[in-house]
Amino acid sequence: MKTVALKQALAPGGEVLLGYVGRLAPEKELHRLAEVAQIPGTRLVLVGEGPSRNELGARLAEAVSTSPGRPNLPPAFLGPRTGEDLARAYATFDVFVHTGTKETFGQTLQEAAAAGLPVVAPAVGGPLDLVDHGRSGYLFAPDVRGDLARWVAELVDSPALREAMGDHGPAMV
C-alpha cells in the first residue's frame, strides 16, 4: 500500500497519527499510551507484535471509547513490518511516541527521527542521548501522570511545531 493510501486509510478524517514501532510487550510500558489515546483528533497506530497485543488492544480501545467529546478512531495495529513497508509506516505518522523507560539505546527513536518525525520519549536511559528536548522532540517525565499526554498534545496542536522538530531529526541522526 502506498504511503498516501495508507495515510488516508488510517486518518480518513485528517486525524493526527501517533505512531509506535516495537515489540508489544510488558517491558515496553505501552499502558502509558492510554493517556494519549484520548487526545482529540488523533489516532494511535502501532507497528509490531508481541504477548501484550490483545490486552493492549482492549486497554487502548477502552481509553478511546471513554474519551470526552467525540471519541477518536480505535487504535490501528499494523503488525510487524520490515523494509519498505516499515518505512511507509513511519512516513504515515505525524508524531512518534515511545513509552519504555528501560531502553539503553532505542533504535526506533533514531528511525523515527531519520524519517523526519518529532519524537516523544521518556526522560531516562537511551532517549536522553537521542532526543534533543524542545528541538527534535520532547522528553516526558515518566513518573508524572499526564506528562506524556501534555507533550504529545502540544505537537498535535501545532503542525508547524511538528514540522520544525521533524526537520531536526535527520541531521541529529
Side-chain angles (χ1 to χ4, degrees), residues 70-117:
R70 182 183 72 82
N72 292 331
L73 292 172
F77 289 85
L78 303 183
R81 298 208 170 193
T82 59
E84 287 185 28
D85 285 339
L86 179 58
R88 272 192 288 282
Y90 277 114
T92 65
F93 300 159
D94 296 299
V95 176
F96 186 78
V97 182
H98 186 79
T99 55
T101 61
K102 297 170 181 68
E103 299 293 333
T104 56
F105 183 65
Q107 182 66 37
T108 61
L109 279 67
Q110 277 197 317
E111 292 170 353
L117 294 170

Side-chain angles (χ1 to χ4, degrees), residues 19-104:
Y20 167 82
V21 174
R23 186 163 156 72
L24 307 180
E27 68 272 12
K28 299 299 184 176
E29 301 173 81
L30 295 167
H31 64 277
R32 297 179 196 277
L33 290 175
E35 72 180 64
V36 300
Q38 296 189 336
I39 298 172
T42 65
R43 185 175 198 188
L44 285 168
V45 180
L46 294 90
V47 174
E49 194 54 69
S52 297
R53 165 59 181 92
N54 291 336
E55 177 202 343
L56 181 62
R59 179 181 286 217
L60 295 178
E62 180 180 351
V64 168
S65 69
T66 61
S67 64
R70 182 183 72 82
N72 292 331
L73 292 172
F77 289 85
L78 303 183
R81 298 208 170 193
T82 59
E84 287 185 28
D85 285 339
L86 179 58
R88 272 192 288 282
Y90 277 114
T92 65
F93 300 159
D94 296 299
V95 176
F96 186 78
V97 182
H98 186 79
T99 55
T101 61
K102 297 170 181 68
E103 299 293 333
T104 56

